[in-house]
C-alpha cells in the first residue's frame, strides 16, 4: 500500500477540450478524492478573438487570444476542481488545411518524440493510474488532437508505467441524437452537405464497441459551467445553447475505449478506476 493518491491524467489539445470530452469525469473523480491532472498541449491561439474575429482576419492576434484562453482555462480548472494543470504551450496548429498547420513551433510541426519526452517527464512525476486522450484520428481529425494522441502513446512507451489507458469516444446512437438536437436549436441552420453528414456518421463508435460508460449526470452542471468559462469561444460551443437542464439530460454519460489495462477488469465497465480500488 502507498499514501500516493489515485491519479487521473487527461491529455488534451486546447483550452476547452478538457470540458467538452472529460469535464464529467474530471469533476466526478475530483469529488471522490482522486488527483486529477490536466495536460493542455497548445495555447489555443487559433481560437476566436474578441468580438468573434476569426483567425486570419484583420485584428486577430494569436498571442492575445492565447492569453484570454489561458485565463478561461484557469476558470474551467476551478469549476472542475482539477488538482494540477500542466501547459506544454505549443502554438495552436488550427484546423486541417490552415496555413498555421505549417508554422514553425506549431504543435503539428513538433517532432512527436520531443513532445512525448516532455509528457513522459510529467507522467513520471505524477505516476497516473489512468491516462485519457484521443484516438488515432483525434476523434474528428483535428491535427492537434491527432498530435496529442501521438505524443501520449509515445510517452507511455517511454515510461515503465502500466496505467489504464483510455481514448475518448461517443456512441453513434448519441451522435444521431445530437444531430436531432442541433436541428431543434438551430432552425435557421442551412441544409447540411451530404458529404458532411456522411463524415459525421463516422465519428464515434457503434455502441457495442464502447468499453466504458461513466455516469457523470451529477456533475453535468459543473461540466456546463466549465464550458461556459470558455466564453471567448462560445460561438463554437453548441452545447451551451441547450441550457443546463437539457445539457444534463444529453451529456450525463461520458464514454471511452479502454486500450491498455493491467487490472483484468471485465468489460464493459462503468468506472475508469475499476480494478484499482
Amino acid at each position: 500500500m502507498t499514501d500516493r493518491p489515485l491519479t487521473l491524467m487527461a491529455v488534451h489539445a486546447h483550452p476547452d477540450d478538457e470540458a467538452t470530452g472529460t469535464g464529467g469525469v474530471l469533476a466526478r473523480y475530483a469529488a471522490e478524492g482522486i488527483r486529477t491532472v490536466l495536460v493542455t498541449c497548445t495555447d489555443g491561439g487559433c481560437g476566436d478573438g474578441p468580438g468573434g474575429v476569426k483567425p486570419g482576419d484583420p485584428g486577430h492576434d494569436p498571442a492575445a487570444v492565447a492569453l484570454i484562453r489561458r485565463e478561461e482555462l484557469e476558470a474551467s480548472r476551478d469549476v472542475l476542481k482539477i488538482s494540477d494543470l500542466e501547459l506544454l504551450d505549443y502554438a495552436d496548429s488550427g484546423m486541417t488545411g490552415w496555413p498555421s498547420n505549417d508554422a514553425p513551433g506549431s504543435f503539428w510541426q513538433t517532432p512527436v518524440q520531443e513532445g512525448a519526452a516532455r509528457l513522459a517527464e510529467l507522467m513520471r512525476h505524477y505516476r497516473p493510474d489512468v491516462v485519457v486522450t484521443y484516438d488515432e484520428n483525434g476523434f474528428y481529425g483535428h491535427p492537434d488532437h491527432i498530435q496529442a494522441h501521438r505524443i501520449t502513446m509515445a510517452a507511455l512507451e517511454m515510461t515503465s508505467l502500466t496505467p489504464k489507458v483510455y481514448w475518448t469516444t461517443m456512441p453513434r446512437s448519441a451522435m444521431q441524437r445530437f444531430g436531432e438536437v442541433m436541428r431543434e436549436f438551430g432552425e435557421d441552420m442551412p441544409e447540411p452537405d451530404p458529404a458532411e453528414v456522411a463524415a459525421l456518421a463516422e465519428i464515434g463508435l457503434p455502441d457495442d464497441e464502447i468499453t466504458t460508460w461513466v455516469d457523470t449526470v451529477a456533475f453535468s452542471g459543473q461540466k456546463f459551467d466549465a464550458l461556459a468559462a470558455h466564453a471567448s469561444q462560445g460561438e463554437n460551443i453548441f452545447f451551451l445553447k441547450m441550457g443546463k437542464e437539457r445539457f444534463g439530460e444529453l451529456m450525463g454519460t461520458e464514454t471511452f475505449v479502454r486500450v491498455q489495462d493491467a487490472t483484468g477488469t471485465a468489460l464493459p465497465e462503468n468506472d475508469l478506476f475499476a480494478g484499482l480500488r
Side-chain angles (χ1 to χ4, degrees):
M1 297 294 291
T2 175
D3 292 334
R4 186 182 65 83
L6 285 172
T7 300
L8 165 66
M9 176 180 281
V11 183
H12 282 292
H14 311 99
D16 77 19
D17 290 331
E18 81 289 339
T20 305
T22 55
V25 292
L26 286 166
R28 170 180 164 167
Y29 290 124
E32 293 178 6
I34 288 170
R35 186 177 198 177
T36 51
V37 181
L38 170 62
V39 180
T40 301
C41 296
T42 80
D43 61 9
C46 285
D48 288 357
V53 63
K54 303 299 181 184
D57 288 349
H60 187 278
D61 180 352
V65 171
L67 287 174
I68 293 169
R69 300 197 71 185
R70 169 65 189 274
E71 294 174 356
E72 293 174 340
L73 180 59
E74 291 283 3
S76 174
R77 173 196 181 177
D78 290 344
V79 169
L80 297 174
K81 311 298 183 188
I82 293 168
S83 309
D84 300 271
L85 173 61
E86 297 285 352
L87 305 175
L88 299 187
D89 216 27
Y90 290 108
D92 190 341
S93 309
M95 300 295 284
T96 301
W98 287 13
S100 49
N101 294 174
D102 301 318
S106 71
F107 191 35
W108 186 240
Q109 290 299 314
T110 299
V112 169
Q113 293 303 301
E114 176 189 319
R118 294 180 63 194
L119 183 57
E121 283 302 304
L122 293 175
M123 289 180 175
R124 293 186 186 105
H125 174 73
Y126 289 107
R127 301 189 65 81
D129 302 280
V130 173
V131 173
V132 176
T133 191
Y134 316 103
D135 63 20
E136 62 270 23
N137 190 46
F139 184 60
Y140 69 100
H142 192 297
D144 287 331
H145 290 230
I146 294 171
Q147 190 77 329
H149 163 85
R150 290 174 176 171
I151 73 162
T152 302
M153 302 313 291
L156 287 164
E157 289 185 4
M158 291 178 177
T159 67
S160 58
L161 307 176
T162 55
K164 298 179 79 176
V165 180
Y166 294 88
W167 296 342
T168 58
T169 192
M170 187 75 70
R172 294 266 171 83
S173 59
M175 292 301 298
Q176 180 178 355
R177 180 68 182 126
F178 287 146
E180 296 168 358
V181 173
M182 287 178 74
R183 287 188 290 274
E184 175 186 338
F185 282 89
E187 295 176 359
D188 57 348
M189 291 175 65
E191 191 67 25
D193 180 272
E196 292 180 0
V197 172
L200 283 172
E202 294 302 312
I203 293 178
L205 289 172
D207 292 29
D208 60 2
E209 293 182 21
I210 292 173
T211 66
T212 310
W213 305 68
V214 183
D215 181 357
T216 60
V217 69
F219 304 94
S220 59
Q222 277 176 264
K223 180 171 179 172
F224 184 94
D225 289 342
L227 279 168
H230 296 281
S232 68
Q233 309 306 304
E235 181 181 326
N236 304 317
I237 304 176
F238 160 76
F239 301 115
L240 295 176
K241 298 177 182 178
M242 300 180 187
K244 269 191 179 179
E245 183 175 352
R246 192 65 180 279
F247 179 86
E249 293 171 2
L250 293 170
M251 303 292 287
T253 300
E254 291 183 348
T255 50
F256 306 86
V257 174
R258 193 175 82 190
V259 295
Q260 184 172 313
D261 172 61
T263 69
T265 303
L267 296 175
E269 60 186 3
N270 60 10
D271 179 8
L272 299 180
F273 288 85
L276 294 170
R277 56 181 176 170

